[in-house]
Amino acid sequence: MAKFDVSVVGELNLDMILYGLPRELELDREHLAKDLSMTLGSSSAIFTHNLALLGNKVGFSSSIGSDPLGEICLQRLGECGADLGGVRRFPGKLTGLTVILPCGTQRYILTYPGTMFEMSYDDLDLNYVLNARHFHLSSYYLHRALRPRIADLFRAAKKAGLTTSLDTNDDPEDLWADDLLQVLQYVDVLLPNEREACRIARTEDAARAADILAERVPLVVIKRGKAGAIARRGKEQFASAPVEVEMVDPVGAGDSFDAGFIHQFIRGARIEDCLKYGNLTGALSTTRAGGTEAFRDTSHRTLFLQKHWK
Ligand SMILES: Nc1ncnc2c1ncn2[C@@H]1O[C@H](COP(=O)(O)OP(=O)(O)OP(=O)(O)O)[C@@H](O)[C@H]1O
Ligand SMILES: [Mg+2]
């Protein structure tokens, strides 16, 4: 029997969110933020955290530096009950950090990658990574050292009998190079947002992107922010309406959606229910600052899920 329900390979860093961005930033002036939140960041860590709190055994493989920020990440992530046995410490290196400046419903995002650029295939313990029923990787374009062998990793997961999912997230270079196509051969569930789906499929039209991607992967799930989400399995089309919420912060909604979707997917749920639950956990995430705060509050999380599910 596999040790974990889901094994995640990805990046681990904190998000520093500064609210109240002035209309214009002037050089050499001191601008005051209205609020500050230091919270667990990075797509993979938010996914892992929230998936564990939904009741799954999750094994996490990642890297941190030998600095206090890395220790804070581990402590935060450890609180959700995920297994951190796959996290390596790189001596003398710095853990990554993301600074987020929300601006209306959008935000500026500035990331120092730190060790997330350095973790390579050889740093991974494959016995640990593959000891699961399902394998997930997020932030394809942030794994600079690992990227040339991500296809090998997915192939190994498929060979070992795991189902697989991938959320590429954004490509900071906006190149969307073809190496991703090698990886897609071994991906069961692809989880981009609308913009990413269009970039990967090289089209401006989201419906066309879904068609194109559905020829490459068995299941394409496209996140559409406050418009909910759609899925495509071969020629079959699915759509799910969003849950209505008072949005506080969209950071991490995509990763939280992934957690809810995969939570149902590995239980063999119908696509409609996977989408519905993804919309629910995505919406839950937006009710608090950052990507994990709404999940950390047990009574808030439980009440929200009970109120909106079925
Ligand atoms: N304002 C909102 N109201 C309700 N649900 C929302 C809202 N914003 C996001 N969601 C839910 O969260 C999901 C993911 O959001 P989004 O489309 O922003 O993903 P993303 O761009 O991948 O996010 P991320 O920046 O976290 O990677 C949506 O599909 C939806 O289910
Ligand atoms: Mg995303």
Side-chain angles (χ1 to χ4, degrees):
M1 254 246 316
K3 184 170 177 193
F4 302 117
D5 296 315
V6 180
S7 166
V8 181
V9 169
E11 70 305 354
L12 176 56
N13 64 250
L14 291 175
D15 275 354
M16 197 82 80
I17 312 175
L18 289 133
Y19 296 91
L21 186 70
R23 207 171 274 271
E24 271 178 39
L25 281 176
E26 292 175 62
L27 287 168
D28 296 333
R29 291 291 322 281
E30 174 117 13
H31 302 89
L32 292 181
K34 289 202 174 70
D35 206 353
L36 166 70
S37 160
M38 194 170 78
T39 174
L40 187 67
S42 63
S43 177
S44 312
I46 293 171
F47 173 80
T48 297
H49 182 276
N50 295 346
L51 188 62
L53 285 179
L54 291 175
N56 300 281
K57 281 184 268 169
V58 190
F60 189 55
S61 301
S62 187
S63 62
I64 53 170
S66 52
D67 53 357
L69 289 184
E71 296 307 320
I72 298 172
C73 289
L74 277 190
Q75 186 231 325
R76 279 293 173 99
L77 188 54
E79 284 167 12
C80 72
D83 188 285
L84 307 181
V87 180
R88 306 228 4 203
R89 277 188 183 76
F90 290 171
K93 305 280 184 188
L94 283 176
T95 308
L97 179 68
T98 295
V99 175
I100 299 177
L101 303 173
C103 182
T105 57
Q106 296 175 289
R107 67 264 189 193
Y108 292 100
I109 305 174
L110 189 61
T111 291
Y112 173 70
T115 49
M116 84 172 76
F117 264 14
E118 316 229 2
M119 183 176 72
S120 70
Y121 189 81
D122 294 334
D123 292 317
L124 295 171
D125 174 354
L126 281 198
N127 288 326
Y128 180 91
V129 171
L130 301 179
N131 198 353
R133 295 195 287 133
H134 182 89
F135 172 72
H136 179 87
L137 184 137
S138 346
S139 305
Y140 182 77
Y141 300 98
L142 297 182
H143 297 296
R144 188 171 278 179
L146 184 62
R147 182 166 158 183
R149 300 209 55 193
I150 289 179
D152 291 341
L153 198 51
F154 271 87
R155 188 176 52 221
K158 288 303 295 175
K159 199 168 163 218
L162 287 77
T163 49
T164 62
S165 52
L166 171 70
D167 182 348
T168 62
N169 282 312
D170 196 18
D171 177 1
E173 295 177 312
D174 215 11
L175 294 174
W176 306 91
D178 278 347
D179 58 334
L180 180 67
L181 302 183
Q182 299 298 320
V183 182
L184 294 186
Q185 300 176 67
Y186 310 109
V187 171
D188 293 315
V189 189
L190 179 66
L191 296 148
N193 65 21
E194 264 186 327
R195 180 181 170 277
E196 293 152 3
C198 289
R199 285 287 197 279
I200 297 166
R202 302 194 190 290
T203 168
E204 304 276 298
D205 179 63
R208 179 89 192 101
D211 287 340
I212 293 169
L213 295 175
E215 286 173 12
R216 297 219 172 247
V217 291
L219 181 58
V220 186
V221 180
I222 301 182
K223 292 166 275 182
R224 305 181 60 224
K226 62 177 187 304
I230 59 163
R232 193 68 61 92
R233 182 173 60 189
K235 298 263 177 258
E236 281 180 286
Q237 299 183 19
F238 307 86
S240 184
V243 177
E244 276 198 33
V245 279
E246 292 256 337
M247 189 188 73
V248 173
D249 182 2
V251 169
D255 314 312
S256 304
F257 175 98
D258 295 351
F261 189 96
I262 295 301
H263 172 80
Q264 293 295 343
F265 179 81
I266 59 173
R267 284 165 177 73
R270 298 178 320 136
I271 305 297
E272 291 88 339
D273 288 335
C274 297
L275 275 180
K276 192 171 172 192
Y277 206 66
N279 274 336
L280 184 51
T281 51
L284 168 61
S285 169
T286 70
T287 62
R288 295 277 163 90
T292 56
E293 298 302 322
F295 285 76
R296 274 158 63 86
D297 182 336
T298 308
S299 67
H300 176 65
R301 181 185 77 238
T302 313
L303 281 174
F304 189 92
L305 294 176
Q306 272 170 2
K307 182 176 165 200
H308 296 282
W309 183 240
K310 300 265 180 170

